[in-house]
């Protein structure tokens, strides 16, 4: 996922310890010269040779010139730039997940055809996973075409993550939540009476939760995209922390699974879900740590410009988290197909996803129409 380039602080741009005046004076002539020279003359630049909007925090070298042509951008994935491994650490997972979902839909050996309504939630989830990795790869490759296109690719990347988060909720809603004792009134009503002494019928509460899960997740997806797009402006001092926080919010839709493991014997009843669910969230915590801390390049600026900087590690651990998620969503699908309840509807699955695409498109259009959002980091 592309990142905000440099945390804003009073009077500073570029790597830490560089004043704004020195950075501006150093970057302007070099940036202009790089535009006039061919890509082959100077394929990689230092932080003081590119516009401020392209400077990454604690990354001193390995920058591509601006503007690049589309052909030069594509060729750069085979060159040692500071974006090369950002691309490959998501392009390889993209191919792996594409192969995985093709097997699930077309080569699984089940009697359920790929177009059956029972698989609609899986289509929603698969489209979110693949779109997230594809958009991340695209943004990292083509982010140096122009300032406006850079902003557009970042906004699309944020939107794709929100789309994936909502697609995950759709898959949870149909494949995982129905199997939880926590959302079974026949189990929870006597449980509450026995443990808390409350004579409460949980039927209404559980029905209300089921009715609100998808609408609330939908609103969160749009709100998270708005917040992340706004984080690319001057008002946000800690954009990486903000983006990490707002994208954790949709993960709250998985809280019933966590509560199930605390209140009931989820480990014994569904060990696959228990192990992969908690391992997924461990990977997410590790990924968030690298995304916010900017370690290891914060410790030794310049040493990890090409290989080993935090965003590459962030990509690797997010891939591992989604890999575990795919595993337990697939297991949930198997359980669902054994005793399927009412078939998911087109409007309740794909319809929601299409409406979300429209809303996210309107959000991106709004931000791109404002010149301030196209010129800021």
């Amino acid at each position: 996922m592309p990142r905000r380039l440099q945390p804003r602080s009073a009077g500073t741009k570029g790597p830490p310890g560089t004043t704004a005046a020195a950075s501006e004076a150093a970057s302007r002539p070099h940036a202009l010269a790089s535009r006039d020279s061919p890509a082959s003359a100077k394929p990689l630049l230092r932080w003081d040779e590119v516009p401020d909007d392209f400077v990454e925090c604690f990354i001193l070298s390995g920058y591509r010139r601006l503007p690049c042509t589309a052909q030069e951008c594509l060729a750069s994935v085979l060159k040692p730039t500071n974006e090369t491994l950002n691309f490959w650490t998501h392009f390889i997972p993209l191919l792996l997940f594409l192969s995985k979902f093709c097997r699930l839909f077309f080569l699984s050996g089940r009697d359920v055809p790929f177009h059956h309504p029972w698989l609609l939630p899986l289509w929603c989830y698969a489209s979110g996973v693949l779109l997230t990795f594809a958009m991340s790869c695209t943004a990292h490759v083509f982010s140096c075409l122009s300032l406006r296109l850079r902003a557009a690719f970042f906004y699309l990347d944020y939107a794709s993550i929100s789309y994936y988060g909502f697609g995950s909720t759709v898959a949870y809603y149909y494949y995982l939540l129905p199997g939880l004792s926590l959302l079974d009134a026949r189990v929870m009503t006597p449980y509450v009476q026995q443990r808390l002494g409350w004579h409460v019928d949980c039927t209404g509460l559980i029905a209300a939760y089921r009715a609100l899960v998808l609408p609330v997740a939908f609103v969160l997806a749009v709100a998270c995209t708005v917040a992340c797009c706004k984080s690319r402006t001057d008002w946000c001092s800690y954009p990486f922390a903000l983006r990490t926080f707002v994208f954790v919010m949709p993960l709250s839709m998985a809280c019933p699974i966590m509560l199930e493991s605390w209140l009931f014997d989820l480990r014994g009843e569904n060990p696959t879900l228990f192990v992969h669910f908690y391992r997924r969230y461990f990977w997410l915590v590790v990924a968030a740590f690298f995304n916010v801390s900017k370690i290891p390049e914060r410790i030794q600026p310049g040493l990890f410009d090409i290989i080993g900087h935090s965003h590459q590690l962030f990509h690797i651990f997010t891939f591992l988290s989604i890999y575990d998620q795919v595993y337990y969503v697939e297991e949930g699908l198997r359980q669902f197909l054994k005793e399927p309840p009412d078939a998911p509807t087109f409007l309740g699955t794909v319809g929601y996803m299409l409406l979300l695409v429209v809303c996210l498109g309107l959000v991106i259009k709004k931000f791109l129409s404002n010149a301030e959002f196209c010129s800021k980091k």
Side-chain angles (χ1 to χ4, degrees), residues 112-310:
V112 181
F114 69 90
H115 53 78
H116 197 282
W118 290 343
L119 298 184
L120 287 176
L122 185 62
W123 277 109
C124 296
Y125 174 67
S127 66
V129 172
L130 297 178
L131 181 64
T132 296
F133 284 102
M135 197 61 246
S136 175
C137 293
T138 303
H140 280 298
V141 172
F142 296 108
S143 60
C144 60
L145 285 174
S146 69
L147 286 173
R148 181 176 177 82
L149 286 175
R150 181 182 182 85
F153 284 129
F154 279 155
Y155 296 156
L156 287 169
D157 188 51
Y158 305 149
S160 69
I161 297 173
S162 295
Y163 179 91
Y164 153 73
F166 183 73
S168 299
T169 303
V170 171
Y172 285 11
Y173 180 82
Y174 288 101
Y175 296 152
L176 298 176
L177 299 187
L180 300 182
S181 299
L182 185 71
L183 297 179
D184 187 344
R186 295 169 300 179
V187 175
M188 284 304 298
T189 297
Y191 180 89
V192 171
Q193 293 176 353
Q194 179 181 358
R195 292 297 182 92
L196 302 178
W198 298 348
H199 296 279
V200 178
D201 186 359
C202 296
T203 304
L205 293 175
I206 293 175
Y209 176 82
R210 289 182 179 275
L212 291 174
V213 167
L214 292 182
V216 170
F218 187 96
V219 172
L220 281 177
V222 177
C224 287
T225 304
V226 172
C228 285
C229 290
K230 287 184 69 67
S231 73
R232 296 184 58 79
T233 61
D234 282 331
W235 73 271
C236 182
S237 299
Y238 301 99
F240 301 108
L242 173 65
R243 292 169 199 161
T244 301
F245 172 75
V246 298
F247 283 128
V248 165
M249 292 173 62
L251 300 179
S252 62
M253 296 295 101
C255 282
I257 300 176
M258 188 174 297
L259 291 174
E260 179 84 6
S261 68
W262 294 349
L263 300 178
F264 302 96
D265 185 22
L266 180 64
R267 186 171 187 174
E269 296 176 359
N270 195 337
T272 299
L273 175 59
F274 180 87
V275 171
H276 290 278
F277 178 82
Y278 276 102
R279 193 166 67 184
R280 161 176 160 76
Y281 279 85
F282 171 76
W283 298 136
L284 287 174
V285 169
V286 175
F289 167 78
F290 284 113
N291 194 43
V292 174
S293 68
K294 297 303 166 190
I295 291 174
E297 65 267 21
R298 178 186 291 271
I299 299 173
Q300 188 65 50
L303 181 61
F304 303 97
D305 291 352
I306 308 300
I307 300 176
H309 61 71
S310 61

Side-chain angles (χ1 to χ4, degrees), residues 97-115:
F97 284 126
L98 183 61
S99 173
K100 175 68 172 179
F101 287 123
C102 284
R103 291 197 301 271
L104 280 177
F105 285 115
F106 305 109
L107 303 174
S108 62
R110 291 189 300 262
D111 294 331
V112 181
F114 69 90
H115 53 78

